[in-house]
Amino acid sequence: VQLQASGGGMVQAGDSLRLSCTASERFSSTYTVAWFRQAPGKEREFVAAEFRSYGRKYYADPVKGRFTITRDNAKNTVTLQMNSLKPEDTAVYYCAADRNLILSQIGAQSQYDYWGQGTLVTVSS
């Protein structure tokens, strides 16, 4: 499956932004879908995911309560709604998907087989 991320841009602190990830084929419930991000000079880190099958959602502590991941299987999309953005949210955001990882691996980027190309989010203070 091929993933295409979009929606990045430059915003001010406190603003909202919605990222979208469109898949080349249907995002069935057999896929775990996730967002990761990589800030300048830092390693890529886990942001949010929705586990396959029962759709439970998981978030990294820095984004809890501000970001929401949503899957729309009918539209083959996964969105990341980002509210109350902070300068430290500045990063390239990547969507990812996988059919085989287990729950304990949900934050491990090495376990995801499919990746989008990344979209840049810049938050100014």
Side-chain angles (χ1 to χ4, degrees):
V1 61
Q2 294 181 330
L3 306 178
Q4 180 77 30
S6 62
M10 183 177 294
V11 297
Q12 293 186 333
D15 286 350
S16 298
L17 204 59
R18 176 178 291 182
L19 305 183
S20 293
C21 179
T22 302
S24 59
E25 62 184 63
R26 183 169 180 171
F27 262 145
S28 70
S29 59
T30 60
Y31 282 93
T32 292
V33 293
W35 288 91
F36 289 79
R37 68 185 181 186
Q38 186 167 19
K42 296 186 178 181
E43 295 185 354
R44 189 156 54 184
E45 64 179 4
F46 171 77
V47 174
E50 181 177 307
F51 190 63
R52 57 184 169 83
S53 301
Y54 50 83
R56 186 169 177 177
K57 301 178 183 183
Y58 298 84
Y59 298 93
D61 286 343
V63 308
K64 281 182 181 177
R66 300 188 297 122
F67 290 12
T68 303
I69 185 171
T70 304
R71 178 208 307 250
D72 186 333
N73 288 341
K75 296 182 179 180
N76 300 342
T77 60
V78 179
T79 61
L80 184 69
Q81 178 66 42
M82 304 185 295
N83 298 329
S84 301
L85 283 162
K86 305 175 181 179
E88 51 263 43
D89 294 318
T90 294
V92 177
Y93 284 72
Y94 299 88
C95 57
D98 193 85
R99 286 182 292 185
N100 301 310
L101 62 83
I102 60 177
L103 185 56
S104 63
Q105 298 170 330
I106 200 168
Q109 59 178 307
S110 62
Q111 299 301 317
Y112 287 83
D113 284 341
Y114 307 105
W115 289 85
Q117 84 287 7
T119 185
L120 177 62
V121 174
T122 304
V123 184
S124 60
S125 58

